[in-house]
Amino acid sequence: MKKALSAAKQMNLTTLENHYWLKVELIAFCKANQLPTLGSKVELIQRIKVFMTTGRKVQFKKNRSTVLRDSLQEISVNTLVNHYKNDAATRQFFVKQVGKRFHFDAYLRQFTNKNNITQGLTYGDLVQGWLKEASKRKEATYQSTIGSQFEYNQFTRDFFANERGKSRSDAIQAWKVLKALPGKKTYANYKAALKKRD
């Protein structure tokens, strides 16, 4: 935690936007500035940006307990998706529809964000979407979607796609180089930085 606090003390708007930060470092900055420490990495960065540019301390918004998740009632294929949760009752519905091979995946996790729920979407639509994704996963060229907050995962996927014959330790070393550079933590920026060095 000492290391995280030390890094947090050096954080400013430029370094925040141009460097890779661990969640523990973002939390250390929030604690040092009496900002809420709950939420995802993306939420923490946004909260810190607001604080740095305006001085405002944005409070963490918890989901209100008055919002009832869909799974508190029996789910059917005709149930509208309003407040989706990856919980035991939701799992039970999907297992009943697709069998024991069911598991929560990135396709379903996207619906935990209310912004990804379109009007009229039903649990039957989610079943069909899950089956379609499961079918795609059997294809040799299938790649799951990586969330924007998982920069390391996206970088290593792109690294191995472009650096044939390289090892995991090569990817880790390349990531360390990229982490120390300003700018977005992408494979394209890593290659651009290497060209500048030559």
Side-chain angles (χ1 to χ4, degrees), residues 6-186:
S6 172
K9 284 178 182 173
Q10 298 171 22
M11 192 186 297
N12 59 44
L13 192 58
T14 303
T15 59
L16 177 67
E17 292 176 339
N18 290 314
H19 290 83
Y20 179 81
W21 295 95
L22 297 172
K23 189 171 181 180
V24 68
E25 293 168 332
L26 299 171
I27 288 171
F29 180 90
C30 288
K31 281 183 179 177
N33 292 282
Q34 293 84 46
L35 295 169
T37 57
L38 296 173
S40 68
K41 198 170 163 182
V42 171
E43 289 169 317
L44 290 170
I45 289 171
Q46 186 57 37
R47 190 174 304 139
I48 292 168
K49 277 185 184 178
V50 170
F51 174 71
M52 288 179 168
T53 55
T54 69
R56 284 190 314 119
K57 294 183 178 184
V58 177
Q59 295 305 309
F60 177 72
K61 291 181 183 175
K62 277 187 178 178
N63 289 336
R64 298 271 179 243
S65 55
T66 54
V67 174
L68 299 178
R69 59 183 184 262
D70 301 336
S71 56
L72 290 177
Q73 298 176 24
E74 188 176 344
I75 301 172
S76 77
V77 292
N78 297 317
T79 302
L80 290 174
V81 181
N82 291 308
H83 302 290
Y84 176 87
K85 294 288 179 196
N86 286 334
D87 59 16
T90 304
R91 174 186 295 279
Q92 189 177 8
F93 163 77
F94 279 103
V95 168
K96 195 174 175 182
Q97 298 300 313
V98 302
K100 290 182 180 179
R101 66 188 174 128
F102 171 76
H103 61 277
F104 290 118
D105 59 7
Y107 167 75
L108 288 174
R109 279 193 297 275
Q110 71 179 307
F111 298 109
T112 58
N113 181 341
K114 187 134 175 71
N115 295 329
N116 294 333
I117 299 173
T118 56
Q119 193 172 4
L121 184 72
T122 67
Y123 276 82
D125 296 327
L126 296 189
V127 169
Q128 292 309 309
W130 188 90
L131 289 169
K132 191 174 177 181
E133 278 294 303
S135 179
K136 283 183 188 175
R137 280 194 292 274
K138 293 176 184 172
E139 298 170 9
T141 57
Y142 174 79
Q143 287 191 332
S144 60
T145 304
I146 296 175
S148 60
Q149 70 271 33
F150 303 114
E151 297 163 295
Y152 172 75
N153 295 1
Q154 186 64 60
F155 173 79
T156 53
R157 175 185 284 179
D158 296 340
F159 180 87
F160 287 121
N162 291 282
E163 305 279 342
R164 302 292 180 198
K166 294 284 177 126
S167 68
R168 180 166 162 67
S169 63
D170 292 329
I172 292 169
Q173 188 57 42
W175 173 249
K176 286 179 181 175
V177 169
L178 178 62
K179 249 188 2 175
L181 298 171
K184 292 186 178 179
K185 305 307 169 203
T186 63

